[in-house]
């Protein structure tokens, strides 16, 4: 087994067993740290990540189950593998259901132990770091800055539907804060102490979305070297947030519909049915009705998603919130950069409040970060000439989500003179990766002549 960078904590009151496991781990290229009791482990600094905990279930004093409960109370997230005797199996199974990753029955062989650790490390990577599975749940309305009527209506709807298990569909342009609304829905729900699991359907290659959602068995396809749990399983008893649901492929939509209606599915490469209890929140900036008419989205799936729709307004429809957002972002970035910025010039604030912001709140946030970087005094330095250039000319309007997406991209390209990548480019303004923006431009048939009128004709 190669060095994965994983630190393995071993808690066992049997000194010979404890040191034997530690020696095996080190010979396999893993770092190991041992503890003789649950009390000793809990008194030590919290586990570093990525890490794995090998925990004897039958410890004297503070038991393995007690350690698991204390870690959960402290919101310390570390994959736990229980080490158990035959008589402790029923207790350990309950612990696994409560959140432990696995358990091994003594005596176990070396390969079995190392495989279990490798799977737990992979679980950590896919569930915590690389795929951003869990979103912290300590969010509430305080993170949604503003006092406009448009925002107040959204918050009223959130307060109504959050305590239920009903599916919520968030509509809104890119950068309007749909993820914050999803976080608020989760944090105000009875599921707030469980995971909020996120998947951006547009950021995953189409061929991998099914595996990300439902998981796969070892050998299910080329490259499937280990068993993998999908997002639905990771969100069991919690909330699953599917961003950009309109990008789900048509052939995958029936399986998603079944998972939502029946709360069950099969992993790729398996015939075993898995049941989960996950509350779904979906979001899109696309016009799903138009996609239904074009045969790109299933009507029955739309009805299943659209149980409680919430429209998240663009920033141009809540301009009275812009000064509050500006102060919020200035305070946050000044604190991070250890700067003291006490005021925003009135003329600059007026320019900020009247800018078009095609990228919505995400664009405003990025712009304020740049302003804080440039500021060398206690007064915010705002390059207002950038805001003047950002004004779209002519001003474009959209009647559908599809058109709104296309026009937002064109406006952003016009604002930065057609520059796609780099600091201040269209991708940054829209909060997108360069490759994602180029893919959207191709799909929406956006050419240089759409955002650079000079290129529409033939130059001499």
């Amino acid at each position: 087994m190669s060095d994965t960078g994983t630190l393995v904590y071993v808690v066992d009151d049997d000194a010979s067993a404890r040191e034997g496991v530690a020696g095996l781990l080190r010979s396999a290229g893993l770092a190991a740290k041992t503890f003789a009791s649950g009390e000793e482990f809990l008194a030590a600094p919290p586990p570093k990540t990525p890490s794995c905990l090998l925990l004897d279930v039958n410890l004297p004093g503070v038991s393995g189950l007690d350690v698991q409960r204390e870690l959960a109370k402290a919101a310390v997230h570390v994959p736990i593998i229980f080490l158990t005797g035959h008589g402790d199996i029923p207790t350990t199974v309950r612990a696994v259901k409560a959140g432990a990753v696995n358990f091994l029955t003594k005596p176990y062989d070396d390969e079995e132990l190392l495989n279990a650790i490798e799977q737990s490390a992979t679980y950590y990577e896919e569930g915590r770091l690389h795929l951003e599975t869990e979103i912290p749940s300590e969010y509430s309305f305080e993170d949604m800055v503003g006092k406009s009527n448009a925002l107040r209506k959204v918050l009223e709807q959130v307060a109504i539907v959050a305590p239920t298990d009903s599916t919520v569909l968030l509509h809104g342009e890119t950068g309007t804060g749909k993820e914050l609304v999803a976080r608020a829905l989760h944090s105000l729900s009875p599921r707030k102490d469980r995971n909020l699991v996120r998947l951006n359907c547009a950021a995953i290659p189409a061929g991998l979305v099914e595996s990300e959602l439902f998981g796969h068995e070892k050998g299910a396809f080329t490259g499937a070297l280990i068993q993998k749990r999908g997002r639905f399983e990771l969100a069991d008893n919690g909330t699953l947030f599917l961003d950009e649901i309109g990008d789900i492929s048509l052939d995958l939509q029936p399986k998603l519909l079944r998972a939502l209606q029946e709360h069950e599915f099969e992993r790729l490469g398996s015939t075993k049915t898995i049941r989960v209890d996950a509350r779904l929140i979906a979001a899109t900036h696309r016009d799903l009705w138009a996609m239904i008419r074009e045969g790109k989205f299933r009507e029955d799936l739309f009805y299943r998603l659209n149980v409680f729709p919430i429209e998240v307004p663009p920033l141009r429809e809540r301009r009275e919130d812009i000064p509050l957002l500006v102060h919020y972002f200035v305070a946050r970035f000044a604190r991070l950069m250890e700067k003291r910025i006490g005021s925003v010039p009135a003329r600059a604030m007026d320019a900020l409040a009247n800018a078009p912001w095609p990228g919505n709140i995400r664009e405003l946030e990025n712009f304020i970060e740049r302003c804080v970087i440039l500021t060398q005094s206690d007064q915010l330095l705002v390059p207002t000439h950038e805001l003047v250039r950002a004004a779209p000319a002519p001003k474009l309007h959209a009647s559908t989500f599809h058109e709104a997406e296309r026009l937002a991209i064109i406006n952003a390209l016009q604002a930065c003179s057609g520059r796609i990548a780099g600091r201040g480019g269209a991708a940054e303004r829209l909060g997108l990766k360069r490759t994602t923006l180029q893919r959207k431009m191709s799909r929406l048939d956006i050419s240089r002549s759409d955002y650079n009128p000079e290129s529409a004709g033939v130059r001499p």
Side-chain angles (χ1 to χ4, degrees):
M1 181 177 182
S2 60
D3 186 355
T4 63
T6 299
L7 173 60
V8 182
Y9 296 84
V10 182
V11 184
D12 196 320
D13 61 312
D14 185 327
S16 61
R18 184 172 67 245
E19 294 307 320
V21 169
L24 170 66
L25 297 174
R26 290 171 184 137
S27 68
L30 297 169
K33 192 167 186 178
T34 62
F35 300 87
S37 67
E39 292 93 335
E40 182 184 350
F41 174 76
L42 292 174
K48 297 179 180 179
T49 54
S51 60
C52 173
L53 173 59
L54 299 181
L55 183 60
D56 188 0
V57 69
N58 192 20
L59 293 169
V62 176
S63 71
L65 296 181
D66 293 331
V67 171
Q68 181 189 31
R69 282 191 286 266
E70 290 302 315
L71 291 175
K73 285 181 187 176
V76 175
H77 304 290
V78 58
I80 298 175
I81 299 174
F82 272 106
L83 309 177
T84 178
H86 285 284
D88 301 319
I89 290 179
T91 302
T92 310
V93 170
R94 290 198 297 272
V96 171
K97 290 182 177 179
V101 173
N102 205 342
F103 73 93
L104 298 177
T105 305
K106 300 176 181 178
Y108 43 80
D109 61 42
D110 295 350
E111 185 178 355
E112 182 183 19
L113 175 61
L114 293 176
N115 285 341
I117 293 171
E118 185 173 8
Q119 285 193 12
S120 74
T122 303
Y123 165 78
Y124 181 90
E125 289 297 323
E126 67 190 28
R128 292 289 180 205
L129 298 179
H130 181 60
L131 298 176
E132 304 175 55
T133 295
E134 185 180 51
I135 301 174
S137 59
E138 66 270 16
Y139 292 88
S140 186
F141 287 157
E142 290 80 2
D143 296 88
M144 302 176 68
V145 178
K147 59 181 181 180
S148 64
N149 289 333
L151 180 61
R152 187 177 296 114
K153 289 179 181 177
V154 171
L155 300 185
E156 288 172 354
Q157 291 175 302
V158 168
I160 291 170
V161 74
T164 74
D165 281 336
S166 297
T167 301
V168 178
L169 180 59
L170 305 175
H171 293 273
E173 297 174 12
T174 298
T176 52
K178 296 187 290 295
E179 184 174 319
L180 272 182
V181 177
R183 290 173 174 175
L185 286 163
H186 176 72
S187 66
L188 295 174
S189 76
R191 299 169 182 260
K192 63 182 178 181
D193 294 325
R194 305 295 293 183
N195 285 353
L196 171 57
V197 177
R198 176 184 182 272
L199 176 67
N200 187 324
C201 302
I204 306 293
L208 298 180
V209 174
E210 183 174 3
S211 172
E212 294 297 332
L213 282 174
F214 305 111
H216 63 251
E217 296 295 332
K218 180 178 179 180
F221 51 85
T222 303
L225 303 179
I226 62 170
Q227 183 192 76
K228 173 183 175 180
R229 298 199 301 168
R231 304 304 176 92
F232 268 98
E233 284 184 80
L234 294 171
D236 193 21
N237 295 313
T239 304
L240 176 61
F241 174 46
L242 296 183
D243 201 1
E244 301 298 354
I245 191 72
D247 285 76
I248 291 280
S249 65
L250 195 59
D251 58 348
L252 184 56
Q253 291 176 25
K255 187 169 183 177
L256 176 59
L257 177 61
R258 179 196 169 206
L260 296 179
Q261 290 186 160
E262 308 297 334
H263 302 284
E264 64 182 31
F265 57 89
E266 291 80 37
R267 292 186 187 133
L268 275 172
S270 172
T271 58
K272 179 183 176 182
T273 298
I274 298 172
R275 291 193 60 83
V276 294
D277 174 22
R279 194 257 185 100
L280 181 75
I281 301 170
T284 184
H285 69 281
R286 297 180 129 201
D287 184 349
L288 295 184
W289 268 120
M291 293 182 66
I292 290 171
R293 290 193 297 269
E294 296 168 3
K296 297 179 180 179
F297 203 85
R298 290 178 63 106
E299 190 171 358
D300 50 0
L301 177 58
F302 172 77
Y303 289 133
R304 187 62 188 82
L305 294 170
N306 202 45
V307 175
F308 196 94
I310 296 178
E311 188 77 30
V312 183
L315 193 54
R316 63 181 174 274
E317 293 180 8
R318 42 178 294 209
R319 290 192 178 277
E320 58 267 50
D321 292 336
I322 291 178
L324 297 174
L325 288 163
V326 169
H327 286 297
Y328 174 81
F329 290 134
V330 168
R332 193 178 80 188
F333 289 122
R335 183 171 60 252
L336 290 173
M337 299 178 198
E338 298 182 350
K339 292 186 176 184
R340 297 178 63 87
I341 301 177
S343 64
V344 180
R347 183 175 296 178
M349 183 63 82
D350 185 63
L352 290 166
N354 288 288
W357 303 120
N360 291 296
I361 297 172
R362 187 178 293 128
E363 182 189 4
L364 173 63
E365 179 182 7
N366 293 340
F367 184 78
I368 295 301
E369 180 180 4
R370 184 157 70 254
C371 292
V372 173
I373 293 172
L374 293 172
T375 300
Q376 300 298 320
S377 66
D378 62 352
Q379 190 174 71
L380 186 71
L381 175 62
V382 180
T384 54
H385 61 280
E386 294 186 20
L387 299 175
V388 173
R389 285 205 307 266
K395 189 172 182 179
L396 303 171
H397 299 276
S399 58
T400 68
F401 284 120
H402 181 84
E403 292 173 0
E405 179 184 22
R406 190 175 191 276
L407 298 182
I409 292 174
I410 291 173
N411 286 339
L413 288 164
Q414 289 176 339
C416 57
S417 302
R419 186 155 49 91
I420 294 176
R423 193 70 175 174
E428 181 188 75
R429 286 174 174 269
L430 295 170
L432 300 173
K433 293 181 179 178
R434 174 186 57 79
T435 53
T436 302
L437 175 56
Q438 289 174 327
R439 188 170 66 250
K440 287 178 178 290
M441 289 172 63
S442 176
R443 174 170 53 79
L444 296 169
D445 194 27
I446 298 175
S447 63
R448 181 174 296 275
S449 62
D450 291 311
Y451 56 85
N452 185 0
E454 292 183 4
S455 65
V458 177
R459 294 186 179 182

